Amino acid sequence: HMDMRIQSFLLFSWQCFKALCCKGPPPPRPEYDLVCIGLTGSGKTSLLSQLCSESQENIVSTTGFSIKAVPFQNAVLNVKELGGADTIRKYWSRYYQGSQGVIFVLDSASSEDDLETARNELHSALQHPQLCTLPFLILANHQDKPAARSVQEVC
């Protein structure tokens, strides 16, 4: 009679232990590869640093490219950020392959000339064979600046 109680207790203990401690690793979250483009100073690096909960201090412009894994509850976005200097933009298309979406960041408080350049780069990306069928997020950044254009003005 005592052995059955011990066995029941051990079985119960084992089930509790398994339930609390042996769940194993969580199932992998789906991953999506995105490309993030925009002119220098538009805020690409700051945006990705904010999404990754990294420090906003001492951010410098990206030369070349960087890749950040941006974790969300249900997915991970592997974002390839491409530098926005005019000497780098001509190479953007070399990094488009495999992208599943595009984040285009523009400075809504930039000069008319820079806004026109951003418009041309956006149109070029929208027409690129590797991007033209992908979802685009167009982020009008720097809305906190006094010279920021409204969404309607940016459109």
Side-chain angles (χ1 to χ4, degrees):
H1 196 225
M2 183 64 99
D3 287 337
M4 287 186 62
R5 280 197 277 181
I6 292 173
Q7 285 177 342
S8 294
F9 175 74
L10 290 175
L11 180 60
F12 175 75
S13 298
W14 175 248
Q15 289 171 341
C16 289
F17 176 77
K18 277 180 35 179
L20 295 173
C21 303
C22 299
K23 290 182 179 179
R29 291 179 283 184
E31 295 189 22
Y32 301 97
D33 295 327
L34 305 179
V35 64
C36 181
I37 55 179
L39 304 187
T40 295
S42 60
K44 301 178 298 295
T45 305
S46 296
L47 167 69
L48 295 176
S49 293
Q50 179 75 32
L51 290 174
C52 291
S53 301
E54 296 175 351
S55 171
Q56 298 290 298
E57 295 179 26
N58 304 319
I59 290 181
V60 296
S61 290
T62 302
T63 55
F65 73 94
S66 71
I67 300 175
K68 287 196 184 288
V70 182
F72 288 95
Q73 185 173 355
N74 298 322
V76 175
L77 304 180
N78 296 311
V79 183
K80 191 183 309 173
E81 176 200 349
L82 306 182
D86 58 348
T87 55
I88 298 171
R89 290 195 306 264
K90 59 186 170 189
Y91 300 109
W92 279 358
S93 62
R94 295 182 182 190
Y95 299 93
Y96 290 165
Q97 188 171 355
S99 295
Q100 296 171 286
V102 181
I103 302 170
F104 189 92
V105 182
L106 63 89
D107 179 356
S108 63
S110 66
S111 70
E112 288 293 329
D113 286 347
D114 283 349
L115 198 60
E116 180 66 19
T117 302
R119 185 180 77 81
N120 292 335
E121 293 295 346
L122 174 60
H123 284 207
S124 178
L126 286 166
Q127 294 170 5
H128 193 278
Q130 291 178 315
L131 302 183
C132 64
T133 60
L134 301 180
F136 268 73
L137 167 66
I138 301 171
L139 180 69
N141 203 11
H142 299 144
Q143 287 293 304
D144 56 328
K145 292 185 177 179
R149 292 168 184 82
S150 69
V151 172
Q152 292 77 18
E153 292 171 310
V154 169
C155 288

